[in-house]
Every structure is written in structure tokens, then in C-alpha cells.
Amino acid sequence: MDIAYAVGYLASDQAAFVTGAELVADGGFSINGDAVSDAEAAGSASAD
Amino acid sequence: MGELMAGKVALVSGSTRGIGRSIAEHLAAQGARVVVTGRTADKGEKVVTRIREAGGTAEFLRLDVTDEDSVRSVIEETVRRFGGLTTLVNNAAPTEVVATTVKHLVEYTTEEWDKILIGTLTGNVFWASKYAWPHLAAAGTAGGASIVNISSGQAIAGFKGFGAYGAAKAGVSSLTRTLAVEGAAVGIRANTVLVGRVVSGRGDSGHHTGGGRLTRIGNPMDIAYAVGYLASDQAAFVTGAELVADGGFSINGDAVSDAEAAG
């Protein structure tokens, strides 16, 4: 339903001024810089 | 009346007129209890009256986002009156200062730069988010809270004469991502609406192209609907996102070609 709601907004006339846009619905996955740091930390920890 | 914002308490900065007013009215129409804020009480009270006449709940609180004490006290007063805060819309902008300080970056004084940065970024987003945070976290842990920051095309393209404002808006977009990452553990979402050319007159300006636009000039309700979607629980999986509401301006490669052909 998270995606259905996003599509519903974009498909409706409420989004009449929105075109060519990319609405990222990923729970913040793609903007989470900490995920990279955590992965690096996990990597260096396992290397020790 | 809709119910997308039922149970929410929303604080909208800069909502005595223009886009902010439309955001406040839309959130109220969707069931949120809304705090209308700004520097001009008579304008703010008119917005409150319109919301109440439409069946909504709203109160006006005087807010100057360039004054840290004002930001803190308005948030505390919001919580005192409505029992909490679930939704923070950081919409204010120092439009008069920006409009009267159009000059090349090297001609800016530090005072002019600071005024624009505080009104757009430091006060409007940093202080507001800082003092709202514990209340948003309480709401987030209980069910859902969100911050919606209003940014601008100036955040992604350079406009001559608007260096400070562009830098501040780019900062707003960046802070959204930090707030999203830091808010995840306590149920606070943070998103940006990146606003293109919007005229504050009421009514749809009609569908037409030209001037680099794919659709038309925007109106305040276009932005209000975008904020309404992001602030609602329908967007529970959307955080750290930047929703570009600009009529396709920023993705229109043909606008460049057309300008070259015209030149």
C-alpha cells in the first residue's frame, strides 16, 4: 500500500503540477549515509 | 472534509499568506489541528477564521523564525494548546530580504548573507526541528510524525543574484536527509517539496506550455497537495525524499534547446 498511495497521489489531479518527477519511496534506504559507514565498520570489524 | 490528517497537530511556518496559507488550509481540511504562524497577526487571524468557517481547527501564534526564542516558545505553546506536535512544515522564507538583495555574490555583505541564511535555513529548519524534535519523537514513537521542508529550484540551479538564497535552500534539502536518517529510530520522517515557479493568485492558470514549462505556472494548492501527501500516513514509507513540484521545469532539456534556437 505504501507504493499504491504514492502512485495514487501522482496519478491524481492533486499532482497536476508534478511531471517528470521521481518520487523515491524506499524508507530512506537511498539517502542513508550511515548505512555505508556501518557496512564499512562491519567490514573492518570482521577483518580484525 | 477529508481525514488524511485526522489526529495530527501541524505547525506551518510562514502560513499567513501564499503557499503557507494554502498548506495550513489543506492540512486543516484533511482533519489536522493547525497552528498558523507568521509575523502579521491580522493576516494570520484571517487564515484561522477561514479554516474555522470551513469546519477545521486552527489557532494563530506569532512567529519570527529569525528569533530563536520565538521559535522555541511557539513550539512549546503549540504543545500546550494541542497536547502534542506531529507535523512540522518549515515553509517560511525571508522573501522581502531576498527580493531586495538581488546582487552578485561578491557584493553581498555578511549581514545580508546571514539574514537570508537564518530566515531560510538556520531559524526556519534548524531551530524549528531542534525544538520540535522531542515532541515529534513522542508522536513518532506513538504512531507517526513528520517534517516537511519547503525548498526551491534555487537549490539545484544557479540563479544570478540569488547566491545566499540558493545556498540556503540547498542546505534545506541537505538537512532533510540528515533529519530523515536521525529520525528513523524514533518514527520521524523528513521530506522536501522542491517548489518551482508558483504564483500566489488563486485559481488554476490553465494548461499551457512555453517559457521552459511543460505544464503551467504552479499555484499554492499544487504545493499544499504535495505537502499533504508527504505529511500523511499514506507516505509512511517515504523519508529523505525530495518531491519536485515544478511543472517539469527542472527536467526539461528542450527548454535549453529552445533558448539556443531563439538566441
Side-chain angles (χ1 to χ4, degrees), chain B residues 238-251:
Chain B
V238 180
T239 190
E242 192 160 82
L243 175 54
V244 180
D246 73 345
F249 184 87
S250 60
I251 54 86

Side-chain angles (χ1 to χ4, degrees), chain B residues 132-134 136-138 140-141 144-147 179-180 182-190 239:
Chain B
W133 197 259
L136 294 172
T141 308
S146 90
I147 298 170
L179 292 166
E182 295 185 352
V186 288
I188 301 172
R189 297 181 298 107
T239 190

Side-chain angles (χ1 to χ4, degrees), chain B residues 44-125:
Chain B
E45 293 293 355
K46 279 181 191 162
V47 178
V48 167
T49 299
R50 283 167 56 101
I51 289 173
R52 289 176 179 164
E53 284 173 356
T57 302
E59 297 207 28
F60 172 78
L61 292 177
R62 191 181 180 284
L63 170 64
D64 176 359
V65 299
T66 69
D67 176 351
E68 187 169 359
D69 286 338
S70 175
V71 174
R72 182 170 46 208
S73 66
V74 162
I75 287 165
E76 295 310 320
E77 185 62 18
T78 297
V79 172
R80 199 182 68 75
R81 293 195 190 190
F82 288 135
L85 177 63
T86 66
T87 308
L88 179 67
V89 182
N90 296 322
N91 166 76
T95 48
E96 294 88 356
V97 183
V98 171
T100 55
T101 319
V102 180
K103 57 177 84 175
H104 286 188
L105 183 64
V106 295
E107 293 164 356
Y108 272 77
T109 65
T110 300
E111 185 188 14
E112 289 165 341
W113 168 273
D114 284 346
K115 267 190 187 175
I116 291 171
L117 267 286
I118 289 172
T120 308
L121 177 62
T122 311
N124 182 46
V125 179

Side-chain angles (χ1 to χ4, degrees), chain B residues 25-50:
Chain B
E25 290 176 358
H26 177 58
L27 296 181
Q30 290 295 326
R33 288 174 289 164
V34 173
V35 177
V36 175
T37 69
R39 285 167 296 178
T40 319
D42 59 335
K43 282 187 187 172
E45 293 293 355
K46 279 181 191 162
V47 178
V48 167
T49 299
R50 283 167 56 101

Side-chain angles (χ1 to χ4, degrees), chain A residues 1-3 5-7 9-10 13-29 31-34, chain B residues 26 177 180-181 197-198 214-218 222 225-226 229 234 237-248 251:
Chain A
M1 285 308 297
D2 293 319
I3 309 308
Y5 289 133
V7 171
Y9 163 70
L10 290 172
D13 291 341
Q14 286 201 346
F17 192 49
V18 179
T19 187
E22 197 160 78
L23 174 56
V24 179
D26 72 348
F29 184 86
I31 53 89
N32 185 7
D34 285 336
Chain B
H26 177 58
R177 294 184 283 270
V181 169
R197 182 99 173 95
V198 168
L214 296 182
T215 56
R216 57 166 166 77
I217 299 280
D222 290 319
Y225 291 136
Y229 164 68
Q234 286 201 344
F237 192 49
V238 180
T239 190
E242 192 160 82
L243 175 54
V244 180
D246 73 345
I251 54 86

